[in-house]
Amino acid sequence: MGFIDVSELTYSIGGHTLFHNVSFRVGEGSKVALVGANGTGKTTLLRLIAGDISAETGTISNSGGIGVMRQFIGSTGGLTTVREFLLGLAPDLIRVAGTALAGAERRLAEEPDDEAVAIAYAQAVADWASAGGYEAEVTWNMCCESSIDASFEDIRDRPVSTLSGGEQKRLALEVLLRGREEVLLLDEPDNYLDVAAKRRLEKALRATPKTVLYVSHDRQVLAETANRIVTLEGHGVWVHGGGFADYAAAREARLGRLDELHRRWDEEHDHLKELVRRLRVQATISPAMASRYGAAVTRLRKFEEAGPPAERPRRQDVRIRLRGGRTGVRVLTCHQLAIPDLVQAFDLEVSFGERIALLGNNGTGKSHLLRLFAGEEIAHQGRFVLGARVVPGHFKQTHEHPELRGQTLVESLHDHGLDRAAAMRSLDRYELVSHGDQDFATLSGGQQARFLILLLEIDGATLLLLDEPTDNLDVHSADALERGLDEFEGTVIAVTHDRWFARRFNRFVIVAENGVVTDRPAPAWE
């Protein structure tokens, strides 16, 4: 069975040390979650282990072969076919042979009468067979049929961009779980998955004998699958030997111990410096004190060389202040509202202060409904009415905001009425102050999500329309959003597949596969 050993790994970007002397082991058959704040280097660490990039110092060893699901699989501008997508998940031998075969096929189609091209094609076919390519195609066919209900032969030449994000994730997971590699590196495998698919993922991770190291921000997925948790923080790692259920308490206890150790170290450091200062003065008066002074200097030097305890990670402090405001009692009224080919006609009345989770599988029209309520031009039948003093604020799952791209965060906040000082204070509450002069487009997904929530706060929305707001948020930021919503004076309608997040809601509107809308007091997965 495969394992991963990481020893004293150091990596820097642009002169900034991302992490230093990182060491941990992922044992045979373990399911280990890699967590940490957005931007701490989780994806970078996976890329180092996968061999995509090299560390400055340290070693990485593994056994059993590694299969990798990268964070943005299939994001190649629509040029990659399903076949090329699957080759990207294959072992090196099959990937090289498959790429050569695809090239030989193209040349043969262009020059069918060229004997040299025909010979090269025959050799590529032989190499493909020798590498185990045809056996791989059998596996790919099973994976295509089970994950997206189509044969490999039918979709092999389709652009992978024609598959939804969820279909890409499900297909990649099927391939990696059925593959020969004994170690899997999965970067946010649960993103874009609906609840049913997440449950299948959890079941598959628990059942597989493979060793798995994965990044996830979904607290329910972490609770269901992780038997150890590696946290990137303070330019190093901390390994929690248990699952997610007691992770928060264990981390707080650890931070408390580190605080106490640093307090004691600082006290001893001050004591030794004061001792050296006092003996220096005494040594100038009495030569007999010179030896004691020298001993104290040596003691201080050795103490400082040993250094303080492990670096204290800075506690994240995201403070979301979604104020909202009073509106009419009836916030939203829908009468026989329907979206052709997606959502059947339904009636709905939303009252001030309600927290409504809009649930359903991928592709059932939930995001279309939010966009419609937000004022976008969405083809529909029937009607809906917003109540008095209702100001909708829309959080888009895709973070599609062309008006923000090409502008720094401070410039965008200036457009929303904040001067630079007020903008920086607001960014500080969202842990974005160091990115104030950075283009929105260059932020990480989690940083973009926090900034978009800040804009909702500043614009004074009284009806929050949130489309998968926790998808890219780290665990602390998701907790901060929940606290912010608890204090929000207004109404919330959220599309979510985050079961942990959905616990905070008191009403659940379900959009079924056939477009039927039902109103329930509990989520559909219970």
Side-chain angles (χ1 to χ4, degrees):
M1 192 59 65
F3 67 86
I4 302 169
D5 259 325
V6 175
S7 179
E8 299 184 347
L9 210 61
T10 297
Y11 189 81
S12 301
I13 297 178
H16 168 68
T17 299
L18 202 55
F19 39 77
H20 177 68
N21 280 348
V22 162
S23 300
F24 64 93
R25 176 182 172 86
V26 182
E28 293 85 347
S30 296
K31 310 300 180 287
V32 177
L34 179 60
V35 303
N38 298 127
T40 52
K42 300 183 295 295
T43 292
T44 299
L45 182 53
L46 289 191
R47 293 183 64 207
L48 286 164
I49 296 171
D52 297 341
I53 54 177
S54 299
E56 299 161 28
T57 62
T59 59
I60 300 170
S61 58
N62 61 79
S63 69
I66 293 181
V68 183
M69 174 193 282
R70 290 172 174 82
Q71 186 176 18
F72 300 110
I73 58 172
S75 58
T76 55
L79 300 178
T80 301
T81 65
V82 171
R83 180 190 189 186
E84 292 166 335
F85 173 78
L86 293 172
L87 281 173
L89 298 168
D92 289 343
L93 191 62
I94 291 178
R95 182 164 58 250
V96 171
T99 302
L101 178 59
E105 289 173 345
R106 286 193 296 270
R107 289 190 293 273
L108 185 63
E110 294 166 357
E111 303 176 72
D113 299 325
D114 188 309
E115 183 178 355
V117 170
I119 292 173
Y121 171 71
Q123 182 60 52
V125 170
D127 293 342
W128 177 242
S130 177
Y134 290 111
E135 291 85 351
E137 288 186 6
V138 172
T139 300
W140 292 347
N141 187 64
M142 289 189 295
C143 294
C144 289
E145 289 182 342
S146 63
S147 61
I148 54 181
D149 198 26
S151 70
F152 170 65
E153 195 62 33
D154 287 342
I155 65 171
R156 54 178 281 173
D157 296 320
R158 274 176 53 183
V160 74
S161 60
T162 63
L163 303 181
S164 70
E167 287 174 327
Q168 292 178 25
K169 293 274 185 174
R170 292 197 302 271
L171 178 56
L173 283 167
E174 286 273 358
V175 170
L176 292 172
L177 289 169
R178 292 176 183 265
R180 290 176 292 185
E181 294 78 14
E182 296 178 359
V183 175
L184 300 184
L185 304 178
L186 309 178
D187 199 348
E188 300 195 22
D190 47 86
N191 265 13
Y192 306 113
L193 299 185
D194 55 34
V195 171
K198 286 185 179 183
R199 285 187 154 179
R200 288 193 293 270
L201 167 66
E202 291 161 0
K203 183 178 179 181
L205 290 181
R206 289 194 298 264
T208 183
K210 295 176 184 284
T211 301
V212 185
L213 176 64
Y214 64 98
V215 173
S216 176
H217 298 311
D218 189 303
R219 291 160 290 180
Q220 192 68 36
V221 171
L222 293 171
E224 294 289 339
T225 57
N227 49 40
R228 293 179 74 211
I229 300 176
V230 175
T231 304
L232 266 178
E233 59 182 3
H235 301 101
V237 297
W238 166 60
V239 179
H240 173 52
F244 190 69
D246 59 350
Y247 170 75
R251 183 170 181 268
E252 281 303 310
R254 172 182 180 263
L255 293 177
R257 289 193 298 273
L258 281 176
D259 287 342
E260 177 63 17
L261 288 173
H262 275 268
R263 185 186 66 78
R264 292 180 180 179
W265 192 91
D266 289 341
E267 288 177 352
E268 180 66 12
H269 193 207
D270 290 342
H271 167 72
L272 290 175
K273 287 191 295 184
E274 173 60 22
L275 179 64
V276 168
R277 186 199 64 79
R278 190 171 66 251
L279 291 175
R280 183 190 300 119
V281 173
Q282 293 177 359
T284 61
I285 300 172
S286 171
M289 300 298 294
S291 60
R292 291 185 62 187
Y293 168 65
V297 169
T298 301
R299 183 179 170 189
L300 174 62
R301 176 177 53 78
K302 289 183 177 180
F303 182 84
E304 291 178 335
E305 287 175 352
E311 181 180 349
R312 287 178 292 187
R314 189 179 63 81
R315 295 174 189 261
Q316 282 184 273
D317 188 24
V318 176
R319 287 159 287 149
I320 295 174
R321 296 174 183 168
L322 293 162
R323 293 181 178 85
R326 292 292 307 183
T327 68
V329 174
R330 288 185 180 142
V331 173
L332 172 68
T333 304
C334 302
H335 178 68
Q336 289 299 289
L337 184 64
I339 297 178
D341 301 322
L342 276 178
V343 181
Q344 294 189 30
F346 68 97
D347 295 332
L348 181 69
E349 188 171 288
V350 178
S351 299
F352 174 77
E354 287 193 295
R355 302 296 192 259
I356 297 176
L358 189 55
L359 308 178
N361 290 341
N362 289 332
T364 52
K366 304 180 301 300
S367 295
H368 286 70
L369 286 172
L370 283 197
R371 291 166 57 199
L372 179 62
F373 299 151
E376 292 189 26
E377 292 292 332
I378 302 293
H380 65 281
Q381 299 165 350
R383 64 186 180 89
F384 73 96
V385 178
L386 296 179
R389 298 184 299 280
V390 171
V391 179
H394 186 202
F395 179 98
K396 300 179 181 180
Q397 179 189 18
T398 56
H399 300 181
E400 290 176 3
H401 286 271
E403 76 281 5
L404 298 179
R405 297 177 183 275
Q407 286 198 117
T408 68
L409 304 190
V410 169
E411 289 169 341
S412 295
L413 291 175
H414 183 265
D415 292 343
H416 287 257
L418 273 65
D419 61 23
R420 184 175 181 86
M424 295 303 278
R425 287 195 298 271
S426 295
L427 291 172
D428 187 44
R429 285 194 293 105
Y430 280 73
E431 302 252 330
L432 293 170
V433 69
S434 62
H435 303 282
D437 295 315
Q438 190 172 329
D439 187 335
F440 173 82
T442 65
L443 299 177
S444 72
Q447 291 164 343
Q448 287 184 356
R450 293 204 302 273
F451 186 68
L452 293 176
I453 295 168
L454 171 58
L455 293 183
L456 293 179
E457 173 188 310
I458 292 170
D459 290 343
T462 57
L463 168 61
L464 296 178
L465 303 169
L466 309 178
D467 196 353
E468 298 283 5
T470 61
D471 247 13
N472 293 292
L473 294 179
D474 57 56
V475 171
H476 173 82
S477 298
D479 288 339
L481 174 60
E482 290 179 354
R483 292 193 299 271
L485 292 179
D486 287 344
E487 298 172 2
F488 173 64
E489 185 184 20
T491 308
V492 181
I493 303 176
V495 170
T496 186
H497 297 301
D498 184 338
R499 289 155 291 170
W500 201 281
F501 179 60
R503 295 175 181 180
R504 310 294 276 254
F505 290 73
N506 54 24
R507 188 175 170 191
F508 303 88
V509 175
I510 317 298
V511 185
E513 293 277 3
N514 61 3
V516 173
V517 177
T518 56
D519 195 345
R520 303 182 186 180
W525 55 78
E526 291 184 358

